[in-house]
Amino acid sequence: MGEITDKYHLNMYCVCSKCKKKQEGDYAYSCKEYNREKGIPAEIWNGKNMDCPYFQSKK
């Protein structure tokens, strides 16, 4: 039997990719607003065009 090791999926429509609060670097799925150990909630990361209360556009 397989085991799920990553709750995050590739999502081209993820609002996080367009947010200036998403932190790049050594910790995947991290954001200045979310707990570093828990990361960005999978519901927001995996959802298509999900709303995030902390979103700030990079533009």
Side-chain angles (χ1 to χ4, degrees):
M1 281 251 136
E3 182 179 328
I4 297 175
T5 58
D6 189 357
K7 63 182 177 179
Y8 299 103
H9 305 286
L10 177 61
N11 181 0
M12 294 171 49
Y13 302 103
C14 179
V15 70
C16 301
S17 63
K18 301 174 196 89
C19 183
K20 66 180 178 182
K21 292 187 176 186
K22 179 184 176 289
Q23 297 180 320
E24 303 295 335
D26 62 339
Y27 193 80
Y29 317 112
S30 66
C31 171
K32 294 177 184 177
E33 299 295 336
Y34 290 104
N35 180 309
R36 188 170 176 89
E37 283 75 39
K38 292 185 180 181
I40 297 169
E43 302 80 46
I44 291 175
W45 185 270
N46 295 340
K48 184 174 180 175
N49 298 320
M50 288 291 293
D51 288 326
C52 174
Y54 305 115
F55 178 79
Q56 287 185 355
S57 179
K58 286 182 180 178
K59 296 180 183 178

